[in-house]
Amino acid sequence: MGEGDAIWAPSILPHGTLSTLSHHPELHFGGKMESKVSEGGLNVTLTIRLLMHGKEVGSIIGKKGETVKKMREESGARINISEGNCPERIVTITGPTDAIFKAFAMIAYKFEEDIINSMSNSPATSKPPVTLRLVVPASQCGSLIGKGGSKIKEIRESTGAQVQVAGDMLPNSTERAVTISGTPDAIIQCVKQICVVMLESPPKGATIPYRPKPASTPVIFAGGQAYTIQGQYAIPHPDQLTKLHQLAMQQTPFPPLGQTNPAFPGLDASPPASTHELTIPNDLIGCIIGRQGTKINEIRQMSGAQIKIANATEGSSERQITITGTPANISLAQYLINARLTSEVTGMGAL
């Protein structure tokens, strides 16, 4: 069970907690919490939920999980990351307030380090701020904003961080995203103040937590046009996919994309499968895999080929990719991989 599927018990706690101070059974703030909670006087167990993209999650996990392990050990907080093939993940941090603030500091400084590293390869001169997104029950957002925006203005002015509360709730939930950006120090001060507000104003009623949706949207081809399925509708897909599909159709005298119809095994006219191997530099493998594997899954789906990416080996600067399928499957998979590499190297990021 991933952390995203934590035991949500909306009515276990009559007083609720945050989702940012979320609904874990072990979280209990006394029924009559002192309203004069000051930063120094906060020492209850909290749970803060953060919404992160795949790249940010990868940064926190680190090589073989070393970064997150270090963060857990040094902060004393529990840090859990939701599972699943989603472009977004929920990172849950639980512990006494001082442990949470330590964990937050480590995350904020890690993100700043990533920004500095990415700038060394970029012509940009001004350093963008560190940005974190909290997930907060909508019923607490009013207290966070304050009358006429007074509270959020006070937090911005006293910490120097930018704070934005999303107007809409996150899909299928009663939670909103609260985006904080600024220097790591400003972010830490801002989180402390947000925790104080949320402890003083617990959520009202049951909170339906936000769970990120898997990224894999199926692609179908009809009449030479590519479509993705969104809800009940087929949405025409960008031109590149349609062109690639037409290219595949020119190369494949058998069923579309070289995939046979399992319901009619007698119609299997595909040539025997073969295997092709290629090596890709480690620093470019991410653009082929995509966030949470979205790009590699798209390439698999469109080419009809099986694609395996070998694990990184110590001391090697390259990763091996093995493509298995019919000659047409393999050539289309290679074409798609090369297109990803070209768009990454030229900075077009098109496909």
Side-chain angles (χ1 to χ4, degrees):
M1 178 162 83
E3 179 59 28
D5 302 321
I7 306 157
W8 294 102
S11 48
I12 282 186
L13 302 168
H15 225 53
T17 45
L18 304 176
S19 147
T20 321
L21 308 170
S22 130
H23 298 203
H24 288 257
E26 76 265 26
L27 301 186
H28 38 91
F29 312 122
K32 290 186 177 173
M33 173 154 281
E34 283 295 314
S35 59
K36 296 176 185 168
V37 191
S38 67
E39 271 178 34
L42 265 178
N43 202 20
V44 289
T45 298
L46 305 180
T47 293
I48 305 253
R49 278 161 41 91
L50 286 163
L51 191 54
M52 291 192 189
H53 290 302
K55 197 173 177 183
E56 296 169 330
V57 172
S59 167
I60 283 182
I61 294 172
K63 242 186 195 160
K64 297 179 183 169
E66 284 166 11
T67 308
V68 74
K69 187 181 171 207
K70 187 180 171 196
M71 285 179 177
R72 285 174 181 139
E73 286 169 359
E74 291 190 12
S75 69
R78 275 173 46 201
I79 303 172
N80 288 306
I81 297 159
S82 67
E83 292 168 7
N85 177 25
C86 303
E88 292 179 319
R89 306 271 279 278
I90 297 283
V91 176
T92 308
I93 306 171
T94 305
T97 46
D98 57 348
I100 281 186
F101 300 146
K102 268 184 211 159
F104 248 96
M106 293 178 83
I107 290 170
Y109 282 112
K110 178 71 180 82
F111 282 1
E112 185 176 58
E113 187 187 310
D114 294 344
I115 289 168
I116 291 165
N117 290 342
S118 69
M119 283 183 69
S120 61
N121 308 321
S122 134
T125 48
S126 59
K127 190 172 73 172
V130 173
T131 301
L132 293 176
R133 286 183 299 163
L134 306 186
V135 183
V136 176
S139 61
Q140 289 178 296
C141 288
S143 306
L144 192 53
I145 294 166
K147 225 177 195 171
S150 57
K151 190 67 197 175
I152 203 163
K153 185 173 178 237
E154 181 193 313
I155 293 173
R156 285 177 187 142
E157 287 173 357
S158 64
T159 64
Q162 277 301 312
V163 189
Q164 301 289 337
V165 178
D168 296 326
M169 286 191 258
L170 289 157
N172 306 313
S173 79
T174 57
E175 296 189 304
R176 291 194 203 177
V178 175
T179 306
I180 308 171
S181 55
T183 63
D185 290 341
I187 284 174
I188 298 155
Q189 291 309 315
C190 185
V191 168
K192 285 182 179 179
Q193 294 210 23
I194 288 172
C195 287
V196 172
V197 172
M198 303 190 85
L199 281 165
E200 289 177 343
S201 312
K204 299 170 188 69
T207 297
I208 301 166
Y210 173 60
R211 288 195 177 92
K213 280 270 185 289
S216 53
T217 49
V219 179
I220 57 167
F221 298 97
Q225 167 70 51
Y227 296 88
T228 50
I229 305 300
Q230 292 180 12
Q232 302 170 340
Y233 304 98
I235 312 293
H237 211 283
D239 287 341
Q240 292 101 326
L241 283 187
T242 301
K243 283 176 193 151
L244 289 170
H245 173 55
Q246 287 161 351
L247 179 81
M249 295 303 285
Q250 288 161 17
Q251 295 181 24
T252 52
F254 32 88
L257 300 187
Q259 292 165 324
T260 57
N261 188 332
F264 302 101
L267 295 177
D268 185 353
S270 25
S274 55
T275 298
H276 180 80
E277 291 182 346
L278 45 120
T279 52
I280 302 286
N282 276 341
D283 56 351
L284 289 175
I285 201 78
C287 77
I288 289 167
I289 296 171
R291 272 193 189 139
Q292 309 304 309
T294 48
K295 291 297 173 193
I296 194 71
N297 285 339
E298 195 170 88
I299 294 170
R300 285 181 183 125
Q301 192 171 13
M302 290 179 59
S303 66
Q306 284 188 322
I307 305 169
K308 286 186 179 160
I309 298 174
N311 291 332
T313 50
E314 278 197 44
S316 168
S317 62
E318 293 181 316
R319 298 272 282 276
Q320 192 158 358
I321 297 182
T322 307
I323 308 169
T324 308
T326 64
N329 295 151
I330 290 171
S331 62
L332 182 54
Q334 278 183 279
Y335 177 88
L336 290 162
I337 287 169
N338 286 332
R340 287 289 312 146
L341 290 171
T342 307
S343 68
E344 181 72 9
V345 172
T346 59
M348 300 203 20
L351 266 170

